[in-house]
Amino acid sequence: MSAEVFTPNDVNVTMTPTAVKHVRKQLDKKPEAKGIRLAIRKSGCSGFKYETQWVETPESDDRIFTIDGVDVFVKQEHLPLVNGIEIDFVTEGVNSLFRFRNPNATAECGCGESFTVA
């Protein structure tokens, strides 16, 4: 594995304590998982969509952000799209989900599914 390790001081990716707690709890149930991936793909009316996946085997182009003991994996090509992001975990009604606060997002679609970065 040749993934390079960064800390939050080297880059600007953060997680709220609630998100860290949630990810740790899920990782405890998935001993094969090394951390969580924040991925970006083209989608929706605004251009890009966030996806999260459990990482069992890091890939060579992964960058690893260790945040309060939780490893967040981001592909090198996605770094400009997530620089400065805060990952939160919220409960809205009966639904619990990750909420992404990206200061680089210049637009979001009405349903919150996708975003644009200028």
Side-chain angles (χ1 to χ4, degrees):
M1 176 177 79
S2 63
E4 191 174 341
V5 177
F6 291 90
T7 64
N9 293 331
D10 299 317
V11 296
N12 194 13
V13 173
T14 61
M15 292 178 79
T16 64
T18 304
V20 169
K21 182 179 176 181
H22 172 74
V23 171
R24 282 186 183 151
K25 187 176 178 181
Q26 296 305 309
L27 288 172
D28 286 345
K29 297 176 187 177
K30 301 173 185 312
E32 68 281 357
K34 308 283 188 249
I36 190 168
R37 177 181 311 285
L38 174 58
I40 306 294
R41 73 176 172 98
K42 291 185 177 184
S43 176
C45 53
S46 291
F48 299 102
K49 175 183 176 178
Y50 301 107
E51 291 185 339
T52 57
Q53 306 150 351
W54 301 109
V55 175
E56 293 181 19
T57 305
E59 297 177 15
S60 63
D61 61 341
D62 279 337
R63 297 300 176 251
I64 305 168
F65 305 103
T66 302
I67 304 169
D68 293 332
V70 170
D71 287 340
V72 179
F73 296 78
V74 180
K75 294 216 173 282
Q76 177 71 32
E77 66 183 290
H78 296 159
L79 291 175
L81 298 173
V82 301
N83 186 25
I85 199 166
E86 179 186 58
I87 304 167
D88 196 3
F89 189 76
V90 299
T91 300
E92 297 174 348
V94 297
N95 298 313
S96 295
L97 58 130
F98 285 108
R99 176 77 60 214
F100 305 97
R101 295 182 189 96
N102 187 340
N104 301 308
T106 56
E108 294 181 353
C109 71
C111 68
E113 173 73 16
S114 62
F115 67 99
T116 303
V117 173

